[in-house]
Amino acid sequence: MDTNGATTSSTAGGGSTSKSSSKKHSRKPVYSRFTQQELPACKPILTPGLVIATFTIIGIIFIPLGLVSLSASEKVVEIVDRYDESCVPSNYSNDKLKFIQNPSINKSCVRTLTVPKLMKSPVFIYYQLDNYYQNHRRYVKSRSDKQLRSVSDEKSTKDCSPEDKTVDGPIVPCGLVAWSLFNDTYWFSVNTKTIEVNKHDIAWKSDKEHKFGSNVYPKNFQSGGLIGGAKLNSSVPLSKQEDLMVWMRTAALPTFRKLYGKIEQDLQANEKIQVVIQNNYNTYSFSGKKKLVLSTTSWIGGKNDFLGIAYIIVGGLCLFLAVCFILLYVIKPR
């Protein structure tokens, strides 16, 4: 009797130990409504009425928005003049690269632009480059933001090769982006009267205040054997060199425009603008194109028909689908 009782007690104790051990090593997650996916959820039922109403509302909103955007874009007056081929003398038409690389040849040329409609000030001046890949990985990385911000980081040029230093010391600003700075220039006149070009406040405020130091000055820039683009005034800090700031904000696409300056006077309809262009920048080696752009702006910015057309197409498509669903619902109801 006693032996059997002891055995039974021992067995019961072993079972209890086994259960506690099983609980201790259990892989079962702690219960929560989140892990068990028991949280409240919205599951809309797409009834024919809801679908038709949604498409109709989107169409009614988008089509007027598209028409308003197109109207604003049409009010923008824009003059675009491609000059890279016209500014090459006829005797160099078959060897443009030789022309642009010869420093002894006069690179100036005169273009005449006709104002199609009244252009109210300010009239923005842009230069446009085509087939120019500023987004190339090696090109974009060839710069030193630390060096641009602080004079104490003047020697931070590890990413700037081959335009990192000269025999006289580090290049400031270093890198291929700064080295290739655009250097064509434009002078404007109407009836022999010079039109002033305002080149202030053409760069982003954040660039002037935070990205380019007021105590950083150009040093050993464009002093090597191969000149890439424009030179910089070594007595002016980088925070005042707005042409450089505009250029250093690299473009995402191979065709882009950058702000050159502003004309702060109205240009009358049918006026003839004489533009003297100094055609210095080499785009001929990679089949690039150069264009001069004069443009006004509206509340949506410059001339851009894409936004308005996109709104109209999406709105029209939604209305078309709404009509199709209405017909389907009438002809073949559930």
Side-chain angles (χ1 to χ4, degrees):
M1 291 289 291
D2 293 341
T3 304
N4 290 339
T7 304
T8 305
S9 176
S10 175
T11 304
S16 175
T17 304
S18 176
K19 286 180 181 178
S20 64
S21 175
S22 175
K23 286 183 179 179
K24 186 176 179 181
H25 298 291
S26 173
R27 295 179 180 272
K28 183 179 179 180
V30 178
Y31 171 81
S32 74
R33 297 181 69 188
F34 177 76
T35 57
Q36 297 302 317
Q37 299 184 14
E38 294 177 356
L39 291 174
C42 178
K43 298 178 180 178
I45 300 173
L46 297 178
T47 62
L50 180 61
V51 172
I52 292 168
T54 301
F55 279 129
T56 304
I57 291 170
I58 293 174
I60 290 172
I61 293 174
F62 273 41
I63 289 177
L65 274 176
L67 293 173
V68 171
S69 299
L70 272 180
S71 176
S73 180
E74 286 300 315
K75 291 178 181 177
V76 174
V77 185
E78 187 176 88
I79 304 172
V80 181
D81 179 56
R82 181 182 174 184
Y83 64 87
D84 57 290
E85 291 186 339
S86 304
C87 286
V88 176
S90 56
N91 54 323
Y92 286 99
S93 59
N94 294 324
D95 195 355
K96 300 181 180 69
L97 194 58
K98 183 178 180 181
F99 160 76
I100 202 69
Q101 291 180 340
N102 190 337
S104 63
I105 300 176
N106 182 19
K107 304 293 194 308
S108 64
C109 75
V110 179
R111 304 284 293 165
T112 301
L113 309 178
T114 303
V115 180
K117 294 190 292 186
L118 172 65
M119 300 180 74
K120 292 187 177 181
S121 66
V123 178
F124 294 91
I125 307 167
Y126 301 90
Y127 54 88
Q128 177 175 320
L129 298 179
D130 295 357
N131 199 35
Y132 194 117
Y133 289 84
Q134 270 199 321
N135 60 350
H136 191 283
R137 181 179 61 85
R138 292 187 64 187
Y139 181 88
V140 171
K141 290 180 66 177
S142 185
R143 60 187 293 164
S144 174
D145 290 319
K146 285 185 178 180
Q147 186 197 62
L148 296 173
R149 280 195 299 266
S150 175
V151 68
S152 61
D153 292 311
E154 183 180 277
K155 295 182 180 180
S156 298
T157 61
K158 65 177 182 178
D159 295 325
C160 294
S161 181
E163 292 299 317
D164 53 347
K165 58 186 176 181
T166 65
V167 292
D168 298 319
I171 297 173
V172 182
C174 69
L176 292 175
V177 182
W179 174 79
S180 59
L181 176 60
F182 188 78
N183 63 342
D184 283 6
T185 55
Y186 314 108
W187 290 272
F188 300 86
S189 63
V190 174
N191 298 326
T192 69
K193 183 180 178 181
T194 301
I195 299 175
E196 296 295 329
V197 176
N198 181 7
K199 295 181 73 66
H200 296 291
D201 296 326
I202 61 173
W204 288 25
K205 186 179 179 181
S206 59
D207 288 355
K208 291 189 286 186
E209 294 180 353
H210 304 295
K211 292 190 175 182
F212 292 81
S214 58
N215 62 344
V216 183
Y217 291 81
K219 186 177 179 182
N220 302 319
F221 187 69
Q222 302 288 24
S223 60
L226 185 62
I227 306 300
K231 296 185 177 183
L232 298 174
N233 189 338
S234 59
S235 62
V236 179
L238 296 187
S239 60
K240 301 290 184 183
Q241 309 251 17
E242 296 197 40
D243 282 327
L244 175 67
M245 296 181 210
V246 172
W247 180 257
M248 293 288 283
R249 188 166 282 277
T250 52
L253 300 174
T255 296
F256 58 86
R257 293 179 181 180
K258 291 186 181 288
L259 187 59
Y260 179 84
K262 295 176 284 187
I263 297 174
E264 296 182 328
Q265 69 180 63
D266 294 347
L267 300 177
Q268 303 301 320
N270 300 318
E271 272 188 336
K272 301 292 184 182
I273 303 175
Q274 299 292 323
V275 187
V276 179
I277 301 173
Q278 196 67 24
N279 182 27
N280 298 315
Y281 201 70
N282 180 12
T283 56
Y284 305 106
S285 58
F286 54 88
S287 302
K289 300 174 185 178
K290 296 189 288 186
K291 296 175 184 177
L292 172 63
V293 181
L294 302 182
S295 177
T296 58
T297 58
S298 66
W299 62 270
I300 61 168
K303 194 173 187 65
N304 184 6
D305 293 338
F306 173 79
L307 186 63
I309 293 171
Y311 271 125
I312 291 172
I313 290 174
V314 172
L317 184 61
C318 287
L319 286 181
F320 173 75
L321 290 173
V323 172
C324 289
F325 281 124
I326 290 171
L327 295 175
L328 186 64
Y329 184 63
V330 170
I331 295 170
K332 283 184 134 184
R334 287 184 178 179

